[in-house]
Amino acid sequence: MTVAVDAVSNRGATRFSDIIYEKIVGMIADGTFPVNERLPSETRLAGDFGASRPVVREALERLRTDGLVVSRKGSGSYVRQRPDSSMLTMVPVGSLADVQRFFEFRAGLEAEAAELAARNWQPTDKERITAALVSLEQCLRNGELGAEEDQALHDAIAAATGNQFHITVREWFKPHFAIGHSVTRSLSLKRTPEQIRSVQDEHAVIVEAIFARRETEAHDAMKKHILNARARMFQGV
């Protein structure tokens, strides 16, 4: 019984830290906590949010992982960068931490998919992947969002694995994948032409490695691409 209670308690604490995390992200985005300024102490934040210090500490750790804050020994936590506030309007309220965790999940899953695709692709897969990459390039040239085209490319790579479980997982979590693609594509349209082009270049590197059957290179390129997409969520002003 004690184990069950502790498990429920731990889930509750984690969820509360997600709420605190999202609140602090919002306060950084709206300038309440300015870039290069010190955040209030853990004790002060705990009091302001009605949370325990361990909960606040967990939220701050995620903020450090996401590159929004940085710790300075003996001085506290400082705001490192300010994300685009529009990012918060694209993500369902209360789910920002889940979106970030899904990127972490994708980094492993899709890197393995790219590696398997490099090993197993067939001519029909090559045609599908090429068509998806061309469609995405056309969206880029037209200044279009391209979220569906982006997702189609990743779907085509999953199909090229020859493993039905990669396809099934993408079907199961289709709404989660869609949010990630939509948010990152929407934010990318606000970047410089060079930054926008760099995203497409990442896709090209992945596809080239897959077609050349360079499995390790395809794995690493996809993992880098997903983690970069995760980081781009927090690139802002």
Side-chain angles (χ1 to χ4, degrees):
M1 180 65 70
T2 301
V3 173
V5 170
D6 287 345
V8 172
S9 176
N10 287 338
R11 286 199 298 270
T14 300
R15 185 57 184 168
F16 197 17
S17 71
D18 290 348
I19 294 171
I20 302 304
Y21 161 86
E22 188 163 328
K23 286 181 179 294
I24 296 175
V25 171
M27 296 172 81
I28 293 173
D30 69 16
T32 300
F33 297 146
V35 174
N36 297 324
E37 293 295 319
R38 183 178 181 273
L39 287 176
S41 67
E42 287 183 6
T43 301
R44 173 67 183 277
L45 289 171
D48 289 346
F49 294 127
S52 66
R53 287 185 63 187
V55 166
V56 170
R57 192 173 300 122
E58 185 175 342
L60 290 174
E61 181 58 35
R62 289 201 63 81
L63 290 163
R64 283 190 286 272
T65 299
D66 293 335
L68 288 179
V69 304
V70 61
S71 294
R72 297 178 185 172
K73 190 173 182 179
S75 182
S77 298
Y78 288 76
V79 178
R80 183 179 182 184
Q81 63 178 342
R82 178 184 175 190
D84 190 327
S85 59
S86 65
M87 177 262 294
L88 294 172
T89 68
M90 302 176 197
V91 177
V93 175
S95 65
L96 180 58
D98 288 340
V99 171
Q100 290 300 89
R101 290 194 182 103
F102 195 69
F103 271 107
E104 294 170 359
F105 169 70
R106 284 182 60 191
L109 177 74
E110 297 200 53
E112 292 297 326
E115 181 176 340
L116 279 175
R119 184 185 312 164
N120 297 327
W121 65 263
Q122 299 299 312
T124 54
D125 297 312
K126 186 173 185 179
E127 292 175 6
R128 189 180 301 114
I129 291 171
T130 299
L133 186 64
V134 169
S135 294
L136 200 49
E137 179 67 31
Q138 192 61 49
C139 288
L140 181 64
R141 293 178 180 176
N142 295 340
E144 298 170 348
L145 182 61
E148 292 182 3
E149 289 78 5
D150 193 354
Q151 191 161 345
L153 174 60
H154 288 259
D155 286 345
I157 291 171
T161 65
N163 185 319
Q164 73 273 24
F165 291 104
H166 276 283
I167 301 169
T168 300
V169 166
R170 291 193 67 85
E171 284 297 319
W172 281 349
F173 294 104
K174 190 172 184 178
H176 297 74
F177 284 109
I179 288 174
H181 287 291
S182 180
V183 170
T184 53
R185 298 297 300 185
S186 295
L187 292 174
S188 72
L189 292 179
K190 299 184 177 184
R191 311 304 183 200
T192 66
E194 292 77 14
Q195 290 173 316
I196 296 173
R197 169 51 57 185
S198 70
V199 178
Q200 184 68 348
D201 289 345
E202 289 175 12
H203 286 135
V205 169
I206 295 165
V207 170
E208 180 182 359
I210 289 173
F211 289 167
R213 299 200 185 278
R214 297 194 294 266
E215 298 174 24
T216 300
E217 186 177 328
H219 175 285
D220 294 347
M222 179 64 86
K223 186 170 186 177
K224 180 180 179 181
H225 170 62
I226 300 299
L227 293 178
N228 283 348
R230 180 179 182 273
R232 280 189 284 265
M233 279 190 66
F234 288 127
Q235 290 177 354
V237 296

